[in-house]
Each structure stands twice: as structure tokens, then as C-alpha cells.
Amino acid sequence: MANQIAIGAVEPGCKKVDPILVADNVTRQFGGLTAVNVEHVEIPRGQITALIGPNGAGKTTFFNLLTGFDKPNTGTWTFEGKDLAGVPSYKVARRGMIRTFQLTKALSLLTVIDNMRLGSQDQPGEGFFGSWLRFNWKSRETQITAKADELLKRFKLDAKREDYAAALSGGQRKLLEMARALMSDPKLVMLDEPMAGVNPALTQSLLEHIKDLKSNGTTVLFVEHDMHMVRHISDWVIVMAEGKIVAEGPPAEVMKNPAVIDAYLGAHADTDLGDVEIGSAKEGN
Amino acid sequence: MDWLNALNLTAGELIGVYTAAYVLAALGLAVHFGFTGLLNFGQAAFAALGAYGYSIATLTLNWPWWAAVLAGLAASGVFALLLGIPTLRLRADYLAIVTIAAAQALRYAFSASDYASVTGASNGLSEFGESFYSLNPIPKGRYDLGFTSMSENELFIRIIGWSLVVIAAVFLFFLTRSPWGRVLKGIREDEDAVRALGKNVFAYKIQALVIGGTIASLGGMVFVMSSQTNQPSTWGTNFTFMIWTILLLGGAATILGPIVGGMVFFALLMFTQSVMEGLVKMGWLPFLDIAQVGQIRFLLVGLILMLLVIFRPQGIFGNKKELQFNG
Ligand SMILES: Nc1ncnc2c1ncn2[C@@H]1O[C@H](COP(=O)(O)OP(=O)(O)O)[C@@H](O)[C@H]1O
Ligand SMILES: [Mg+2]
């Protein structure tokens, strides 16, 4: 597996056979604190990559930087070979890189179906002048709605179609946010703790959805604390600690890496990480 | 007490020119606040720019009515851009502060004696309606509507004012139900989420500010056209807060709300005023005189606004369900 994804030695910052996202020298300081300090990282195309690390490691901040929601102090990165540094967040999304948020952002006073519709792109009716004439956007709206309904069904939210998003449970909102992110068929989805707060009964189907994404050719990068999930679905694992990439590799090997065990879980240093459920860490920052 | 007179006056307010003017401004504010979540506390300034744009274009530049209307619309549109471009990338409260400040500054500029030859300073401008009223096809005379009667020009401006309300309402009805309107509501809920879905949030906010502002400027034009006088004192913060009261009374994220809210609001003001005046005349309110009644009714505005926010924050037409989950 490792040889299919990486070129040469498997080590932090190693080259990939076919990277979709390449970041160099990305740093972000908050006052005196260096939240992110990534020298080089490549995200493999078409694979499921997990970004793990203890709370405060800088994972969310790194997501924010890559997607244009925050500005780095230094750094450049490319998406599909094109420079992406300094590109505003909405244009990042239009290029096919869609992220979700650790603190779920369901649009509370919009219905579930409208939340979904908003995830689509290329709706001429979203332009001010384009919106005036219904026939100009009606057929696209029908397509969008069909797609939204299909996704809602897959995520078992179809019964909530007409409800306000505010009426959903925390786990359902996570699902909605993820389903909404898929409306535009992104090339890369970045999920920030997609499992946090999701009912265990749904976790399994969520895992299946993520695997489905891969089989449809979508690249997935996700932050997760649940080691079981990480081991179960990821092809590649990148470990951050104190802003840096400290390890990467295939899941089974990374979880045996002493540096990872040390950085991630001092208290459980003698356990295989794959056997640990870190429930208490789930809602962290 | 003359109840019939009180009721007639109240009914007159339902179709009043000022009611239509405020309703237009409130419809504009619904686009800003109700649909997009923009906190604009300077709606009076947008209306004022419509009024001054029209009256200055007519009196100083001698433009015909239609060019003067365009001048009023353009003035408020440019004002929206000037306020929006620097603030709409920042947090929501920046717009709130800037709109309050800019509205005050604008009012002082209009009352300043330095520009008196153009603005009329604190006396304002008057007699700028000739080009507009020359369009009036209604024959000269008095028109009796039962509860009130009016001249042909008074009737004309009422028809124009309320037609503009209907046009604006229909326009906004379709606009807010389109995908464009859906993006606005998304921005109201969480602009970062909408950004993450690939929408240019800043552009939408600018569009909303300009559209709501220009609709308010139509209100400003209607307001000054009925008496053909435009005074800077009209456009104070109380104008803005009456618009807010109307909007919250009717329901902020609705189109019918500001219309019915405006009618109810002015009818209520007139009704309480006439009843209180009646009671004063009968000696039942010995602590008040007639002049004070006119003032006291504005106490009522504050009271209505407070009671609304406490007991019915969604307004008359707002969706109860939307609010239940508002946590
Ligand atoms: N806006 C901010 N201002 C100041 N410090 C921040 C900010 N955002 C994150 N941090 C700090 O940066 C570090 C990394 O945070 P974060 O990226 O949220 O970590 P993770 O997602 O890996 O748990 C933490 O120490 C956090 O406190
Ligand atoms: Mg985080």
C-alpha cells in the first residue's frame, strides 16, 4: 500500500505518486504561539487521508489556511498543480475543494432541503439578474433538488426534508453538513471531525459514505480522533503535533510509531492506538 | 367624544402617503436585515438621499421628474456602495456603527449653512413637485372616499406611493423565493458556511445593501412629494427607529410583514392620538394638554417595540416555528 501512495522513504513530508494538494512552508502564528508550521506535505489523490493529532495540534487551523478562511504568516500551496495561496475561500470551493467545519455550520433557519440546494454550484438563479426569470433557473433547480433528495436519502435525512436545520440533532447536523458539501461533486472534501457527536449507529453508515466517495474518485482528507475509524477507512495517515507534521504513513504502521504514540497519547503509551477509543477527546478544539 | 372622527382619521392612515413611504423604507430594511442579516441603523439616510437627490436634481439642475427619480436612486445606491465596500468584509457590527454614524453625518451636512444654496440648509427645500404633478391625469377637484377627502394631487401621490409599494413587494417576493434569495438567507444564518459552498458572500451583501437602500430612497421621494417639502429634521434617528418598529411589528423576514406592519403602526398611532385628544377635551386626562398628546404617542412607539421584542419577536407574519428553535 505504502509504495502505491508514497515515493521513496515513508517519512514526514514525503513525496506522493499523485498528489492533489501540495503545501510548502505554511506557518501561522497567534501571538507568540505557532499554531501551524508545516514544512512540506502532499495529499494523495483519490485516497482517504486522515489527519490526526492531539487537541491544539493545529489541524483545524491548517484546514482554515488551506481553504482561505485564515491567512498564513508564510507559505504556498497548490491544488491540482495550480497555486491556491491567497485565493478567497469561495473561489477555493469553486475549484472543487470543499470543507466542513468542526463546529457544525448548519443554516438553522433554512429547511434541510434548502441547505442542500445551497451546496450546488452553477445555478444561474443565484445571480441577481439571473434570478428574475423563473424559466432561467427552474430546470437547473429541478436537477439540483433531485440530487439533493438522493443525497438526503443516502444520509437518512429524507424524513427531515422540510424541517428547519435547527430542529436536527447535533449528529444529524454533521450529516447534513457533509451531505451539503457533496452537492457540488468536489474533487477534494475536507472533513473536520465528521464523527464528533454522531450517534454510533450512524457511524458505520457514515464510514460507508466516505468509502463511497473514494470509489467515485473523490479525494478525502479528514480530521478524526476516533482511532478505530481512522484505521478502518483511511489509506494514509498524517500526524500533527504542535503545528508540525511528525509522522505519516499507512494507518497500521503509523499507529505503531513510537513518536506518534508519544505525541498523541502519552498516557496510553503501551497500547496499540488502533485499540483505543478516545471518546473524551472528541469534542476538543 | 367623536368616535366616528377618530375612526375616519385612523382609516385615513391606512392609505396615507407617509404610511406608504415608511412601508417602502421598511421593505428595504427587510432585504437588509430580515433576509440578509445586515444591521442597518441608518435607513433614514437612504430615504433622505432619495428625497434630496430628487429635490436637488429638480431645483438646482432643472431635471425632469424621471431624471430626478434616477438621481435619487443613484444617490442612495452610491451611498450603499460607500458604506458597504469598507465594512461588509468585516464583522456585522461594523456596518451597524457605520450606518448610524453616516446617517447622522449626512443629516448635519444637509442642514449645514455652507451648502444652503443647494440644500436649503435647515429650512430644507420646497416646491419641487411641478414636473411630477404635471403628470397627474386626475381632473382637478376634491375626491371623497367616505372616511376622508382629498385633492387630485393628494390622490395622485397616494396612488403612486401605494403602486410603488405593490411593485416593490412583488419584485421582492419573487426575488426572495429565488435561488438568489436562498443565498441571502444562508448568509443571514452563517456566512462562513455559505462561503465554504463557493458563494461570493461579499458581493451578495453589497447587492442586498444597494437594493434595500434604493427601495428606501423611493420611500424618501414619496414622503417629500406629498407636501413638496424636504427638511433635514425629517431624517433623524427617529425615522430609522420607526422603520425598525414597523419591520419587527410585521415580521422581518417577510414581504407582507412590513406592509401590514406599517399600516397597523400608523393606524394605531392615529387612533391613540385621537382618543387621547378626545379624552383631554373631555377633561379626563387633566395632566395632559393637546400639544403633549402628539409627543406622548411616540412614547408608545418605544413601548410597542419593547413589547414586540419580548412577546412576539417574529412579528405579525413571522413564522413561529422559525423562532422556536432560535437557540
Ligand atoms: N483564532 C485563534 N486565536 C488564537 N489562538 C488560536 C486561534 N485558533 C486556534 N488557536 C490556537 O492554535 C492552536 C491550534 O488550534 P487548532 O487548529 O484548533 O487545533 P486542533 O484542531 O488540532 O485541535 C491551539 O493552541 C489554539 O488554541
Ligand atoms: Mg480542531
Coordinates of all heavy atoms in Angstrom, one line a residue, chain A residues 55 59-61 102 192-193 223 225 284-285, ligand 2:
Chain A
N55 N -5.5 17.5 20.6 CA -6.1 18.8 20.6 C -5.1 19.9 20.6 O -4.1 19.8 21.3 CB -7.1 18.9 21.8 CG -8.3 18.0 21.6 OD1 -8.8 17.8 20.5 ND2 -8.7 17.5 22.7
K59 N -4.7 21.2 13.6 CA -5.3 20.6 12.4 C -6.4 21.6 11.8 O -6.5 21.8 10.6 CB -6.0 19.3 12.9 CG -5.0 18.3 13.5 CD -5.7 17.0 14.0 CE -6.8 17.2 15.0 NZ -6.3 17.6 16.3
T60 N -7.3 22.1 12.7 CA -8.3 23.0 12.2 C -7.7 24.2 11.6 O -8.2 24.7 10.5 CB -9.3 23.3 13.4 OG1 -9.9 22.1 13.8 CG2 -10.3 24.3 12.9
T61 N -6.7 24.8 12.3 CA -6.1 26.0 11.7 C -5.5 25.7 10.3 O -5.6 26.5 9.4 CB -4.9 26.5 12.7 OG1 -5.5 26.6 14.0 CG2 -4.4 27.8 12.2
Q102 N -15.5 22.0 12.1 CA -15.5 21.2 13.3 C -16.8 21.6 14.1 O -17.5 20.7 14.6 CB -14.3 21.5 14.1 CG -14.2 20.7 15.4 CD -12.9 20.9 16.1 OE1 -12.0 21.6 15.6 NE2 -12.7 20.4 17.3
D192 N -13.8 18.1 8.9 CA -13.2 18.4 10.2 C -14.0 17.7 11.3 O -15.1 18.2 11.7 CB -13.0 19.9 10.5 CG -12.0 20.2 11.6 OD1 -11.6 19.3 12.3 OD2 -11.7 21.4 11.7
E193 N -13.5 16.6 11.8 CA -14.2 15.8 12.8 C -15.6 15.4 12.4 O -16.6 15.8 13.1 CB -14.1 16.5 14.2 CG -12.7 16.8 14.5 CD -12.5 17.0 16.0 OE1 -13.4 16.6 16.8 OE2 -11.4 17.5 16.4
V223 N -10.2 15.0 9.5 CA -9.6 15.1 10.9 C -10.4 14.2 11.8 O -11.7 14.3 11.7 CB -9.6 16.5 11.4 CG1 -9.2 16.5 12.9 CG2 -8.7 17.4 10.6
H225 N -10.6 11.9 15.7 CA -9.9 11.4 16.9 C -10.2 9.9 17.1 O -9.6 9.3 17.9 CB -10.4 12.2 18.1 CG -9.8 13.5 18.2 ND1 -8.5 13.8 18.4 CD2 -10.4 14.8 18.1 CE1 -8.2 15.1 18.4 NE2 -9.4 15.7 18.2
G284 N -13.0 18.2 21.5 CA -12.0 19.2 21.7 C -11.8 20.2 20.5 O -12.5 20.0 19.5
N285 N -11.0 21.1 20.7 CA -10.7 22.1 19.7 C -9.5 21.7 18.8 O -8.8 22.5 18.4 CB -10.4 23.5 20.3 CG -11.6 24.3 20.2 OD1 -12.4 24.3 19.2 ND2 -11.9 25.1 21.3
Ligands
MG2 MG -9.8 21.1 15.5

